[in-house]
């Protein structure tokens, strides 16, 4: 943790379109003494209900979903490009089937009891505010429903208040 410093939200320089959509992030949560993580390329940062928030989407079949559902906090970790293969592995293997965190070679740590990875160049801690499953009837553009939800396995969207932004120094 000595290689990290908390920064004010006004100092954040990451571009969410690049960091999330192209380079990906890890969503990580703790349930009792167990931790699980998943790679995500959908989500965002913004303002909602007068709070700085992150929003993420998790499909029902993802093992990480039960971790997010059973905790009040989670982290979003961002990495340098050299970790792309590791993030790909963490996005395709289930923590239900093997200890993928250990096999990934990443170093798990906690910040205010919220898990994160030491190799990240920046991480955001969040406190859950809201969760709701997407619904077919709410799509205005039905092509999205048809394209992304052929199996009707709709994401649950979570809004988390950003509690800390921590960058590697």
């Amino acid at each position: 943790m000595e290689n990290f410093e908390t920064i004010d939200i006004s100092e954040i320089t990451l571009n969410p379109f690049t960091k999330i959509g192209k380079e990906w992030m890890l969503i990580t949560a703790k349930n009792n003494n167990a931790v699980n993580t998943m790679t995500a390329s959908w989500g965002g940062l913004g303002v909602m209900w007068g709070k700085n928030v992150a929003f993420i989407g998790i499909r029902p079949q993802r093992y990480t979903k039960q971790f997010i559902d059973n905790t009040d906090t989670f982290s979003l970790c961002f990495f340098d490009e050299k970790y792309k293969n590791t993030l790909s592995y963490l996005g395709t293997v289930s923590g239900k089937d093997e200890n993928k965190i250990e096999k990934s070679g990443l170093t798990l740590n906690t910040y205010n009891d919220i898990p994160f990875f030491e190799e990240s160049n920046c991480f955001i801690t969040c406190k859950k505010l809201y969760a709701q499953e997407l619904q077919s009837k709410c799509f205005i553009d039905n092509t999205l429903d048809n394209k992304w939800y052929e199996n009707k396995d709709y994401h649950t969207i979570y809004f988390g208040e950003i509690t800390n932004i921590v960058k590697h120094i």
Side-chain angles (χ1 to χ4, degrees):
M1 210 34 238
E2 70 247 10
N3 296 325
F4 289 90
E5 69 178 358
T6 303
I7 63 170
D8 185 87
I9 199 156
S10 64
E11 297 177 45
I12 193 167
T13 59
L14 68 81
N15 177 332
F17 300 101
T18 301
K19 288 309 240 181
I20 298 170
K22 292 185 177 19
E23 296 176 9
W24 311 333
M25 65 181 167
L26 289 180
I27 300 171
T28 309
K30 184 175 170 181
N31 183 12
N32 297 318
N33 290 327
V35 174
N36 200 57
T37 192
M38 64 175 273
T39 303
S41 62
W42 290 8
L45 306 173
V47 178
M48 191 74 179
W49 307 299
K51 297 178 181 287
N52 297 316
V53 299
F55 66 90
I56 57 173
I58 302 179
R59 288 189 192 262
Q61 63 267 41
R62 295 303 298 259
Y63 184 52
T64 303
K65 186 176 186 314
Q66 62 188 276
F67 285 75
I68 296 288
D69 287 342
N70 290 306
T71 188
D72 293 331
T73 59
F74 60 90
S75 72
L76 306 177
C77 293
F78 303 93
F79 295 83
D80 292 330
E81 187 69 28
K82 69 182 180 179
Y83 290 99
K84 189 79 169 202
N85 288 338
T86 303
L87 271 62
S88 180
Y89 164 74
L90 290 168
T92 55
V93 173
S94 175
K96 230 183 331 193
D97 300 329
E98 62 183 64
N99 187 341
K100 68 180 189 176
I101 292 175
E102 184 178 296
K103 287 186 175 184
S104 75
L106 295 179
T107 310
L108 188 62
N109 201 340
T110 60
Y111 182 83
N112 296 332
D113 205 36
I114 302 170
F116 78 97
F117 293 97
E118 289 276 346
E119 292 81 2
S120 61
N121 57 30
C122 176
F123 67 90
I124 297 172
T125 61
C126 298
K127 178 182 173 196
K128 266 190 337 191
L129 297 173
Y130 183 84
Q132 183 172 350
E133 184 179 303
L134 296 178
Q135 299 174 32
S136 179
K137 68 180 182 180
C138 294
F139 281 97
I140 295 165
D141 180 348
N142 289 322
T143 64
L144 297 172
D145 187 13
N146 297 331
K147 178 178 180 179
W148 297 105
Y149 299 104
E150 182 179 312
N151 297 323
K152 304 304 178 199
D153 56 341
Y154 296 101
H155 286 87
T156 297
I157 302 299
Y158 300 87
F159 282 87
E161 179 178 9
I162 296 172
T163 54
N164 289 286
I165 300 175
V166 185
K167 73 173 189 170
H168 198 269
I169 53 174

